[in-house]
Amino acid sequence: MDLLEEVKNRLNVTWDYDDEKIKNIMLEGEDFIIARVGKTNFKTEISARKLLKEYCFYAWNGAIFSFEDDFKSDILNLQLRHSLN
C-alpha cells in the first residue's frame, strides 16, 4: 500500500475525488515534520509515517492546532532518533 492509500485509510476516505486535497495536506505535514526533526524518509521510517498520518487526520478534521501539543513526545523521540544517526 502506498503512502496516499495509508493516509486515506487513516482518514476513512474511500473515494478518489479528494486525492489532490489529501496530497496537499500530506505535503504540509511532511514540511511540518521535517522542520522539527530534519530530513525524514516517510516511506521507510515507521514513526515518521505514523506522525504524518496523524497530522493528516488532525488537518482533515480541522484540529491541526492541537497536533503539536498532542504529539510532542513522538516528535521529540523522532528528533532524538535523528540526532543519534
Side-chain angles (χ1 to χ4, degrees):
M1 181 181 307
D2 75 345
L3 192 51
L4 174 61
E5 291 303 315
E6 284 187 45
V7 170
K8 287 175 67 173
N9 187 49
R10 176 66 182 102
L11 303 179
N12 293 316
V13 171
T14 57
W15 55 90
D16 295 329
Y17 60 84
D18 277 326
D19 281 6
E20 287 306 311
K21 181 178 181 179
I22 294 168
K23 287 177 185 177
N24 285 333
I25 291 171
M26 289 172 65
L27 287 173
E28 291 168 6
E30 289 174 1
D31 185 63
F32 178 92
I33 293 165
I34 290 169
R36 281 148 184 83
V37 304
K39 189 173 178 181
T40 303
N41 187 332
F42 294 96
K43 294 182 189 228
T44 60
E45 290 184 66
I46 294 170
S47 55
R49 191 166 61 235
K50 174 192 172 240
L51 269 176
L52 178 61
K53 290 188 286 187
E54 293 304 321
Y55 179 96
C56 293
F57 182 80
Y58 274 58
W60 185 256
N61 290 291
I64 199 63
F65 57 88
S66 300
F67 176 79
E68 192 163 15
D69 282 340
D70 291 350
F71 287 90
K72 273 184 186 172
S73 65
D74 294 281
I75 293 168
L76 179 59
N77 283 332
L78 195 53
Q79 286 172 337
L80 291 171
R81 182 175 294 158
H82 280 228
S83 71
L84 296 174
N85 289 333

